[in-house]
Amino acid sequence: MRSHGWSGQPPADASEARRRILDATRTRLSSTGTTSISEIADLLGVTRQTVYRHFPTTEDLLNAASLDAAGDLERQLIAHVVKHLDGSGDGAEAAVEAVAYVYEHLRDDPALNRLLAPGQISTTLAGLTAPSSIALGGKLLAGLGVDWSTGGLAEDDQLELVEHLLRTLQSLVLDPGDPERTGEELRAYLRRWVAPALRGGTA
């Protein structure tokens, strides 16, 4: 099988090869929580050297899988919140659901959870409120099906809202609480303490 490479179905180009390696890595992470270049090579029917050409070390491979998962999360977040709002345009509910959704996926997706591992978490948390993260958050906010300007939030206010939501997410990740809030309990907490800022001070 190895003599034919890629289990007899070679990729069309380097971009497709990289995509298939990352897909295999994320599948393996989902099933076992960890993996290695050797395992991924076996899964794909290629030599380790083939994987090394795209990812020099297992650490590089796992980090790339985490970033790939984060990119998917961004896209899934918009679709999820838009569906959740069901055309209501409720900015407060959009903010609550966005924080809860990202928090739950950061903790539950093995590829994303790697970003919270010892040695990684300080960099991840610091990056959440970096200017580039806030700018990206502003673009995500614009895609949630809410008319923020009609609700009284100018562009600068929207970026401040993003920063506040990211700082809330930071806090939840750093200290989930004991017991940790999840599901509807988490959303009820956010509706009480985050939503009022977007509803003129009333829950």
Side-chain angles (χ1 to χ4, degrees), residues 41-182:
D42 287 340
L43 280 173
L44 294 172
V46 299
T47 64
R48 284 177 292 174
Q49 285 68 30
T50 297
V51 182
Y52 284 137
R53 281 200 290 272
H54 299 276
F55 303 99
T57 67
T58 295
E59 187 76 5
D60 291 329
L61 175 61
L62 295 176
N63 286 342
S66 294
L67 293 176
D68 189 58
D72 281 350
L73 178 60
E74 293 168 10
R75 292 183 287 274
Q76 292 162 2
L77 170 65
I78 291 177
H80 172 79
V81 173
V82 169
K83 182 178 180 181
H84 178 77
L85 294 181
D86 194 25
S88 71
D90 187 339
E93 186 62 22
V96 165
E97 191 60 28
V99 172
Y101 186 84
V102 172
Y103 173 67
E104 290 170 344
H105 281 71
L106 276 175
R107 301 194 66 81
D108 295 341
D109 185 316
L112 291 169
N113 191 252
R114 177 176 166 76
L115 297 172
L116 307 180
Q120 296 271 358
I121 189 169
S122 60
T123 300
T124 300
L125 290 179
L128 275 178
T129 52
S132 58
S133 296
I134 293 173
L136 174 61
K139 293 179 181 178
L140 291 175
L141 206 68
L144 297 183
V146 175
D147 187 346
W148 301 101
S149 58
T150 297
L153 295 184
E155 185 175 347
D156 287 347
D157 297 324
Q158 292 173 39
L159 292 179
E160 274 200 1
L161 171 60
V162 169
E163 180 184 355
H164 178 62
L165 297 180
L166 288 173
R167 291 189 182 281
T168 301
L169 181 61
Q170 262 186 338
S171 178
L172 289 169
V173 169
L174 188 61
D175 183 4
D178 185 15
E180 177 183 359
R181 292 183 179 90
T182 59

